[in-house]
Amino acid sequence: MSDKPVNNGDANLSAGGGGSRREPDEDDVVARDDEVTDDADNDAGPQDAADETPVSDSGPGDPAPEDSASGDSGPAAEDTPAGERGPATAAGASDADDERPDDERDEDDRHDDAHERELADDDGEKDDGTTAAKTPPSGGADDDTLSPGSTDEPGTHSADEPAPADVTKPVIIPPEDDKADEAEEPSQGVRLAAASSKDTPGKPAKPGKKTKKPQDRRIKYARRAAYVLGVLVLLPIIGFVVVYLMTPVPSSAQPTAKAQQSVFYYNDGKTVIARTGDFDRRPVDLKAVPPQVRDAVISAENRSFYSDSGVSVKGSARAVWATLTGGSMQGGSTITQQMVRNYYSGLSQQRTASRKLKEIMIALKVSREKDKDWILQQYLNTIYFGRDAYGIESAAQAYYGKDVQQLTPAEGAYLAAAIQVPTYAGDLTIPGAQSYMRSRWQYVVSGMVQMGAISQQQVATMKFPTPAKQKQKSIYAGDKGYMVSLAKAELRRMGYTDNQINMGGLKVRTTFDKDLMAAARQAVKQNMPAGTSKKILTGLVSIDPDNGEVNAFYGGKDYIDQQFNNAFDAKVQAGSGFKPYVLAAALDDGESLNTYVDGSSPQTFAGVALHNDENENFGMVNLVTATQDSINTAYVNLGQKVGLGKVVSMAEKAGIPAAQLEPHKDAATLPLGVADVSVEQQAAGYATFASEGVYHAPHVIRSVTAPGSKTRKVTEPGKRAFSTTVARDATYAMQKVVDAGTGTNAGLPDRNAAGKTGTTSDGKQLWFNGFIPQLTASVGIFRSDNKPLSIPGYSSYGGDLPARIWRSYMVQADQVLDLDPKSFGAPSVYTGGGGRSTTVPINPRPHPTGSRPVTPPPTGPTNPVPPTDGPPGDGGGDGGGGGGDQPTDPPPTGGTQRNLQRHGHRIPHLYG
């Protein structure tokens, strides 16, 4: 076998597969040796090289098989690219191509072109150094065989050495028959060669390469600018749509948007006491607002209201810009936008771009989903007009003292002008306010003419409607603050929250009678002497005994100056006003009015001497006398006889809280009224006697109506505290107090009354508690510092000034209520005490003009000693009982006292 490689055309032809090769044409190009890389060599194995397709399918840089370098044979002819073959071989290939069908040749051409482009793309990725030598065609017969060592010849080099630079350059093979067309248009081969070499550093562009025209660049830049402009335009639109879709209309309104003042009425349900809250809102239907008043508001705020989309683009943009730049507040929000901001929850009054954007989105949706009249109605009921008035109805009242239905077009225009400048509108005395409001009012009126709401003739007759001067008087002045405070406290006990009370629009019908409230105030005012210390407090409470309703009270001179309610808040010792509970306990326990107890004075209890007023010694007295003359020692003995536990229980049934009784439940002086009570509690307790033993808890609310709800009526069910007989017997004894006892100053001119005086130690608290069958009232006088009372012209007895105040009130109440004289129920027994018959009303004897006279006590009992067999109708109360300390001067009957050694209480001087 020859060591020389076969290089002639015949060998190539035979090895190439029978002369199927074609002549290279102008579209072919010879690849450079430096385009063949080590990577290609490594990627293609021997089998790959052997399986290579003919030159039209192979790349110029494909490596030869490994055995081509051996000494057994030269490089295989079939592995030699077409560019390395001689002319004969190329010609043979061309002839073979000419003999194939046209479609096959076209397919091969397309395949060759694609392969050449692929090689051009991979040009930059290949490395030099290990590729086989490529020999360009010499075009002569002498070049068919070369010595392996002859590297000097052009186009020839060793397989182990890199090809020279001049060899690796691409060689353009021109067509043989037409070289004149070469200059006209570069061939496909030239274009591919230029494309493969354009990234090679330092290589100049090949002839025939196309250059970019300036016109193409301008088109390119214009296209890019169009893209940018499109993005800038489309992005805001897309963002707007996304935000619009993602912004829901709030499902609830702001608490303040629907907030309404709760209104408190007197017991007639019509006369207003006060309205609560820091604002005044009175919602009305749109139908109640005159059309010209509506047009005035539209003229002032949004003249395109009925035709716009709910948003002012120009105004909103101006407002957003002012917000972003920190500029001054800008108008421009439509009525819909303002309504959305003031009505729906989730929107604040903060000046932020996000809030404004959200407002716009909601306004757009609301304008589409809601009727314009609905929007206008919500707007008119929520917008602020000044003078603490929210809504058109409240504004009409605040500025002109009339309902919105009665507003004139001129007044409606003024209120519409007030929306932008409520401070100026509310107070025209502010410098510049008068001129500004006139100008603003004229603007609104002119707009109404443009809208066709009014005519020029109407404008000619209009005058500037100067509003009435704002009233600064507090709604809580005088008694009103006390009444509202009491009603609120009861509403809380009923389960209402402060928000409901202050902003829930409740209509609260109280139990207070306006005329009786005035009578209570007048009774105190006309009886309290001038020069009375401001520390002396007076309380009065009047109660209907049939249902427990507090129909009047006096809690203080003025709630603004003193929020402390003398009648309800103050708790002071009851004094002898507590004795009727002891009497009821004894009667309920089986004692009778003919039960006798020791009323002598002094007596010692637990080592402490106790005496009656002026140490008066009454001896053995029945319960009528003990009550009529308020004998302290007699009642202490009665309490011991019955048991203090029963006394406490009876007081609780009459409404005295257990917590107030607990500290004194074991004190011997409990019957003398050492426990603290309020004027209200005493009035309710005595009402139990007036209602013949049925207790009704006192209350100040008759009914409550919430918006959209049924009226809730308030009733206090009566509870039987003691029997009717007990009530009538106790009432009979208390009648004697007014007829001939310590309370004669309380006697009424046309009917019997019953009651009990109360005076505590040193005259610190003075009481009179009394009733007729239809009405009960209690009066208490005391000092805020708990010092002894000193009232000019009056003594320190409950039967003096308190009884006079009580009488004055009851006389006026009789006139207000027009009460028919009514007799008390007959007692179970008529006995002692010097009292008169109570079966029919009688005129009491003349009352003393001064205080109760004080005379030295007689040497013996003022009442005869009962016979040993007891008086008729005696209930068995003989004064007996368990052993213990005896009075220093035991009564003739030998009645003993129960054990008092366990009580360490100091017994005060308590008088009736």
Side-chain angles (χ1 to χ4, degrees):
M1 183 176 292
S2 172
D3 295 335
K4 295 181 180 181
V6 179
N7 237 355
N8 55 42
D10 294 337
N12 288 334
L13 180 61
S14 61
S20 62
R21 303 292 182 179
R22 63 180 173 84
E23 287 292 331
D25 54 23
E26 63 182 358
D27 294 331
D28 295 329
V29 63
V30 176
R32 303 188 310 269
D33 289 342
D34 58 357
E35 294 176 31
V36 182
T37 64
D38 290 337
D39 293 337
D41 188 29
N42 293 335
D43 293 339
Q47 185 64 32
D48 296 334
D51 293 339
E52 282 181 6
T53 60
V55 65
S56 61
D57 296 330
S58 62
D62 291 340
E66 292 180 358
D67 57 357
S68 65
S70 67
D72 296 336
S73 64
E78 63 268 23
D79 294 334
T80 305
E84 298 177 3
R85 298 176 189 152
T89 303
S94 176
D95 293 338
D97 284 342
D98 292 338
E99 294 175 358
R100 290 189 299 165
D102 293 339
D103 56 346
E104 291 183 10
R105 289 198 302 270
D106 294 338
E107 180 66 23
D108 288 342
D109 291 342
R110 286 193 298 270
H111 193 71
D112 291 343
D113 293 341
H115 195 60
E116 288 170 355
R117 287 193 298 270
E118 181 180 4
L119 291 175
D121 293 337
D122 295 338
D123 186 349
E125 298 176 4
K126 302 188 186 275
D127 297 330
D128 297 340
T130 60
T131 60
K134 305 298 178 183
T135 306
S138 61
D142 295 339
D143 296 331
D144 288 345
T145 59
L146 294 175
S147 171
S150 178
T151 60
D152 298 333
E153 297 295 329
T156 305
H157 61 276
S158 172
D160 297 332
E161 297 176 358
D166 58 343
V167 175
T168 62
K169 294 181 179 179
V171 179
I172 300 174
I173 303 175
E176 296 179 356
D177 54 349
D178 193 3
K179 295 183 180 180
D181 296 334
E182 180 178 0
E184 291 184 16
E185 183 176 352
S187 65
Q188 179 70 18
V190 173
R191 290 196 297 270
L192 291 174
S196 63
S197 63
K198 66 181 179 179
D199 296 331
T200 305
K203 300 272 184 164
K206 300 298 180 183
K209 180 180 179 181
K210 291 184 178 181
T211 60
K212 295 183 179 180
K213 298 179 180 180
Q215 182 177 2
D216 294 340
R217 293 179 180 176
R218 287 195 296 271
I219 295 174
K220 180 179 180 180
Y221 293 150
R223 186 182 299 113
R224 289 179 180 177
Y227 289 156
V228 173
L229 290 175
V231 170
L232 293 178
V233 172
L234 289 177
L235 273 182
I237 296 176
I238 295 173
F240 182 89
V241 172
V242 171
V243 174
Y244 178 84
L245 295 175
M246 294 181 65
T247 304
V249 176
S251 58
S252 60
Q254 298 178 22
T256 55
K258 287 189 172 181
Q260 302 178 37
Q261 288 183 314
S262 292
V263 185
F264 293 82
Y265 299 90
Y266 286 101
N267 60 0
D268 62 1
K270 299 178 181 179
T271 308
V272 175
I273 297 173
R275 299 174 184 271
T276 63
D278 297 329
F279 58 91
D280 183 5
R281 176 179 284 119
R282 311 177 198 183
V284 294
D285 291 334
L286 187 62
K287 295 179 181 179
V289 182
Q292 290 180 334
V293 176
R294 301 183 220 169
D295 291 334
V297 173
I298 293 173
S299 172
E301 295 298 312
N302 184 191
R303 295 179 183 178
S304 63
F305 169 70
Y306 277 103
S307 61
D308 62 31
S309 63
V311 173
S312 169
V313 177
K314 181 179 179 180
S316 297
R318 185 169 64 247
V320 170
W321 176 255
T323 299
L324 294 175
T325 59
S328 60
M329 293 290 291
Q330 296 290 320
S333 294
T334 64
I335 284 177
T336 305
Q337 288 177 258
Q338 294 179 61
M339 187 279 294
V340 164
R341 180 168 62 246
N342 294 320
Y343 182 81
Y344 285 111
S345 60
L347 286 171
S348 66
Q349 300 293 331
Q350 295 179 348
R351 294 183 60 197
T352 61
S354 61
R355 195 273 297 164
K356 193 67 178 180
L357 180 61
K358 188 175 182 180
E359 172 193 304
I360 293 172
M361 297 299 108
I362 296 175
L364 288 172
K365 287 192 173 183
V366 168
S367 185
R368 293 183 59 187
E369 298 174 5
K370 299 291 187 180
D371 182 74
K372 288 287 187 177
D373 284 347
W374 182 89
I375 295 173
L376 184 59
Q377 176 175 308
Q378 307 311 314
Y379 177 79
L380 290 175
N381 283 328
T382 56
I383 199 67
Y384 181 61
F385 288 87
R387 293 193 176 184
D388 297 327
Y390 289 83
I392 190 70
E393 172 65 22
S394 299
Q397 294 288 347
Y399 283 89
Y400 298 107
K402 60 176 68 174
D403 292 334
V404 65
Q405 297 95 325
Q406 301 171 340
L407 289 176
T408 66
E411 292 168 343
Y414 186 91
L415 294 181
I419 294 175
Q420 278 199 9
V421 281
T423 302
Y424 275 9
D427 187 3
L428 294 179
T429 62
I430 298 174
Q434 179 83 15
S435 60
Y436 184 88
M437 285 307 301
R438 284 183 177 273
S439 174
R440 181 71 181 164
W441 177 79
Q442 187 60 54
Y443 167 80
V444 176
V445 171
S446 299
M448 295 174 68
V449 173
Q450 295 175 13
M451 294 166 54
I454 56 176
S455 64
Q456 286 289 357
Q457 291 75 13
Q458 289 177 290
V459 174
T461 61
M462 282 186 180
K463 294 182 179 180
F464 182 72
T466 302
K469 188 176 181 180
Q470 184 177 12
K471 296 180 180 179
Q472 300 292 342
K473 185 177 180 180
S474 172
I475 62 172
Y476 295 113
D479 293 325
K480 291 182 177 180
Y482 296 117
M483 288 187 280
V484 172
S485 178
L486 290 172
K488 283 185 175 182
E490 188 159 308
L491 286 171
R492 295 186 189 99
R493 292 194 295 270
M494 295 170 63
Y496 292 94
T497 66
D498 284 338
N499 279 341
Q500 289 174 302
I501 295 171
N502 294 324
M503 301 191 302
L506 303 179
K507 297 185 182 302
V508 184
R509 185 178 181 182
T510 69
T511 62
F512 306 127
D513 185 288
K514 184 178 182 180
D515 294 330
L516 290 181
M517 288 293 297
R521 175 173 288 275
Q522 182 64 23
V524 173
K525 184 178 180 180
Q526 72 181 14
N527 284 283
M528 290 295 294
T532 302
S533 170
K534 292 183 179 180
K535 293 185 178 180
I536 296 178
L537 309 177
T538 302
L540 183 154
V541 174
S542 173
I543 289 180
D544 185 342
D546 290 337
N547 50 34
E549 290 184 354
V550 178
N551 46 31
F553 70 92
Y554 175 83
K557 292 181 179 180
D558 195 329
Y559 182 82
I560 300 300
D561 299 329
Q562 173 193 304
Q563 288 74 52
F564 183 81
N565 192 324
N566 303 337
F568 287 80
D569 298 335
K571 305 291 190 300
V572 297
Q573 284 188 337
S576 292
F578 191 85
K579 290 174 180 176
Y581 307 130
V582 183
L583 176 61
L587 296 172
D588 188 64
D589 193 47
E591 304 294 342
S592 78
L593 293 177
N594 278 327
T595 296
Y596 279 77
V597 290
D598 185 8
S600 60
S601 178
Q603 297 184 42
T604 302
F605 299 91
V608 178
L610 175 65
H611 57 82
N612 298 321
D613 181 25
E614 300 298 328
N615 201 29
E616 186 174 0
N617 186 0
F618 291 91
M620 295 298 297
V621 293
N622 62 22
L623 300 186
V624 173
T625 301
T627 305
Q628 172 183 302
D629 293 321
S630 193
I631 303 173
N632 292 335
T633 55
Y635 263 93
V636 172
N637 285 321
L638 183 62
Q640 296 298 308
K641 180 179 179 67
V642 175
L644 296 180
K646 294 179 181 179
V647 173
V648 169
S649 177
M650 182 57 69
E652 290 179 7
K653 291 178 182 179
I656 308 301
Q660 295 169 212
L661 298 168
E662 178 67 23
H664 315 283
K665 64 179 181 179
D666 297 325
T669 54
L670 175 66
L672 304 183
V674 293
D676 291 341
V677 294
S678 69
V679 179
E680 174 220 19
Q681 292 168 355
Q682 283 292 74
Y686 278 72
T688 308
F689 294 101
S691 63
E692 297 194 326
V694 178
Y695 171 76
H696 294 273
H699 58 283
V700 300
I701 293 177
R702 182 172 289 182
S703 66
V704 181
T705 305
S709 302
K710 293 183 179 179
T711 299
R712 177 182 177 182
K713 294 183 178 180
V714 179
T715 57
E716 288 293 341
K719 297 180 180 179
R720 175 64 64 178
F722 40 81
S723 68
T724 302
T725 300
V726 169
R728 290 180 176 181
D729 286 352
T731 298
Y732 174 80
M734 285 187 277
Q735 280 183 263
K736 300 303 181 181
V737 174
V738 177
D739 290 343
T742 58
T744 56
N745 282 323
L748 300 177
D750 62 343
R751 69 194 71 205
N752 285 331
K756 185 67 186 75
T757 57
T759 306
T760 63
S761 180
D762 299 326
K764 293 179 179 179
Q765 292 90 26
L766 307 179
W767 292 87
F768 186 83
N769 313 284
F771 56 94
I772 59 176
Q774 305 98 318
L775 191 63
T776 302
S778 290
V779 178
I781 302 176
F782 38 84
R783 285 180 63 97
S784 58
D785 55 8
N786 200 35
K787 292 182 178 180
L789 290 166
S790 177
I791 304 173
Y794 292 94
S795 65
S796 297
Y797 286 96
D800 201 353
L801 181 57
R804 294 174 185 276
I805 293 174
W806 184 91
R807 182 181 185 276
S808 295
Y809 169 74
M810 295 298 286
V811 169
Q812 294 185 63
D814 178 25
Q815 296 173 357
V816 171
L817 301 176
D818 193 19
L819 300 174
D820 294 329
K822 184 177 180 180
S823 299
F824 293 109
S828 61
V829 60
Y830 293 95
T831 183
R836 291 158 291 166
S837 172
T838 57
T839 56
V840 293
I842 60 171
N843 291 326
R845 58 179 166 75
H847 301 94
T849 57
S851 61
R852 181 182 175 185
V854 177
T855 57
T859 56
T862 56
N863 293 305
V865 177
T868 56
D869 58 354
D874 188 1
D878 59 1
D885 291 344
Q886 304 294 323
T888 52
D889 241 347
T893 55
T896 59
Q897 303 297 313
R898 296 183 179 177
N899 190 347
L900 301 177
Q901 295 292 341
R902 54 192 174 93
H903 304 305
H905 301 280
R906 185 179 186 278
I907 301 174
H909 301 293
L910 300 168
Y911 311 112

